[in-house]
Amino acid sequence: MLPSLLTLLLSAIPGVHAQDAVSLSYVKAGQVGTSLPGLTLTLHQDADDLSVDLTCGTKKFSRSGPAKSGAQIQMALDLPAGQWTCKGALNGRFSDGGEGSMPLSFGVTVYEPLKVTLAPGSLDLAARRLSVTLDRRAGKVEVIATTLGGDVVGRAEVPSGAAAGTPIDVQWEELRPGEIIKIRVRGVDADGFWSDLELMPWQYRIPHEDVIFASASAEITPQEEPKLAEALARVQDTLKKYGADLVVLNLYVGGHTDTVGDAAYNRDLSLKRAMAIARWFKAHGFTGKIYYQGFGESDLAVTTADGVDEPRNRRVDYVVASQSPGNGWTVLP
């Protein structure tokens, strides 16, 4: 990313006066989607015509036309990832009558976007801590935590020379109290190239009255629908409050059972009940994505022995979140 400077002076070309006419500097490295390699021409006298023709792999780049003394002409080389040899020529015709030509040959490298990956399970909002890896040697990691209104409530910058794939632990400073909605993690490699990882750890469990299903059934009866209507209203209110800031909010419906019956049967039953409620929400106005999952008796609200009929364990959770609150969710078609 930092320019590799090499100055080439047309004053060395026969026919151009002793005054330096043009100098060149190169940026010999870039990253897809972030920055481009290229060259910059700096004029030290007026040129009636200044042309550059380059071929890098199969791509051609050129510019021509007059230029004033003091002008800086930048030529970005929009190339795919890889290593490229660029060859061509610089030609100039100057206002004092001098002319010159110079062959050009230089190599450039374009990197794939830097991958910044959150280490599984490492995000701890209470401790203001996370861990990430970069897929190239690191230079530093920056973290900015913001609230719903965009106020910065946490910040950190951790220099690091960690090798590719080595976890980098970051603990950010709490600048002021506030509910964290977004965390932007910027990984910077040893050459200064960067990529951002945006985390949206916010989620909200919708308070609601549980739908009562008949034994071994996933059918929602008309008598239970007012409970879902009230829950949907709360979901929509939450979307209005947070949706504009988070951009994308999804609804996650998770079904649970007590420990009566076979574990596999309970998982299937809880899945069917979660799906039924998800379908109800979609049919009654929820326009975003809805995900559902059946947990069966694996995530008890109240710990019991096997075979215990505990009503508080027969429940369905409604979670509004911008990122999945776990694995194993199925999107409702």
Side-chain angles (χ1 to χ4, degrees):
M1 187 173 186
L2 299 177
S4 173
L5 297 176
L6 176 60
T7 302
L8 303 174
L9 302 177
L10 283 179
S11 59
I13 303 175
V16 176
H17 296 289
Q19 178 185 356
D20 296 339
V22 182
S23 60
L24 276 71
S25 62
Y26 296 97
V27 176
K28 293 190 174 182
Q31 177 177 269
V32 173
T34 302
S35 60
L36 298 174
L39 67 159
T40 300
L41 297 80
T42 302
L43 274 291
H44 304 299
Q45 69 179 71
D46 292 347
D48 295 331
D49 184 69
L50 189 70
S51 65
V52 177
D53 293 289
L54 280 174
T55 299
C56 307
T58 60
K59 298 196 71 172
K60 297 182 181 296
F61 304 91
S62 63
R63 72 86 52 197
S64 63
K68 292 290 186 181
S69 177
Q72 286 194 327
I73 301 169
Q74 295 182 336
M75 291 187 63
L77 305 178
D78 189 1
L79 293 163
Q83 292 185 320
W84 308 96
T85 298
C86 298
K87 294 185 177 182
L90 166 64
N91 295 283
R93 188 176 72 251
F94 299 92
S95 56
D96 64 358
E99 296 185 5
S101 179
M102 174 180 291
L104 299 176
S105 181
F106 58 95
V108 297
T109 300
V110 180
Y111 295 103
E112 294 282 3
L114 180 68
K115 292 182 180 178
V116 184
T117 304
L118 179 70
S122 70
L123 178 58
D124 186 335
L125 290 179
R128 306 189 308 279
R129 184 172 57 231
L130 55 78
S131 182
V132 295
T133 60
L134 277 58
D135 68 343
R136 298 198 290 269
R137 180 168 292 278
K140 64 178 179 178
V141 175
E142 302 171 351
V143 169
I144 295 178
T146 57
T147 65
L148 176 64
D151 294 332
V152 176
V153 294
R155 187 187 297 272
E157 181 174 324
V158 178
S160 175
T166 302
I168 303 168
D169 296 326
V170 180
Q171 184 165 28
W172 65 87
E173 177 188 3
E174 183 180 55
L175 302 179
R176 61 184 62 85
E179 182 184 21
I180 293 175
I181 299 296
K182 291 183 183 180
I183 299 175
R184 192 205 73 188
V185 182
R186 173 165 291 183
V188 184
D189 72 8
D191 294 316
F193 295 106
W194 57 270
S195 286
D196 285 344
L197 173 65
E198 191 172 74
L199 305 174
M200 298 184 187
W202 177 89
Q203 58 178 253
Y204 181 68
R205 291 183 178 272
I206 303 296
H208 63 279
E209 186 178 358
D210 280 320
V211 172
I212 297 175
F213 292 92
S215 178
S217 172
E219 181 181 353
I220 300 170
T221 63
Q223 298 93 316
E224 297 299 304
E225 291 196 46
K227 297 177 181 179
L228 291 175
E230 183 179 354
L232 179 58
R234 290 177 176 174
V235 169
Q236 301 290 26
D237 287 343
T238 303
L239 293 180
K240 289 178 183 178
K241 180 179 179 181
Y242 293 96
D245 189 74
L246 294 179
V247 181
V248 177
L249 287 175
N250 303 314
L251 177 62
Y252 295 84
V253 181
H256 305 266
T257 68
D258 57 28
T259 59
V260 175
D262 178 77
Y265 174 82
N266 283 338
R267 183 180 298 275
D268 182 64
L269 179 60
S270 67
L271 177 67
K272 290 177 180 177
R273 288 175 173 174
M275 185 190 304
I277 289 177
R279 286 174 173 167
W280 191 97
F281 281 135
K282 183 174 182 178
H284 289 80
F286 188 87
T287 57
K289 287 186 177 180
I290 305 178
Y291 294 80
Y292 63 92
Q293 184 172 180
F295 295 92
E297 58 187 71
S298 65
D299 185 19
L300 299 175
V302 179
T303 302
T304 70
D306 189 38
V308 175
D309 181 0
E310 170 53 65
R312 287 173 292 179
N313 285 331
R314 299 194 299 272
R315 70 195 193 281
V316 177
D317 294 328
Y318 314 141
V319 179
V320 174
S322 52
Q323 292 182 325
S324 173
N327 300 318
W329 296 91
T330 301
V331 64
L332 189 70

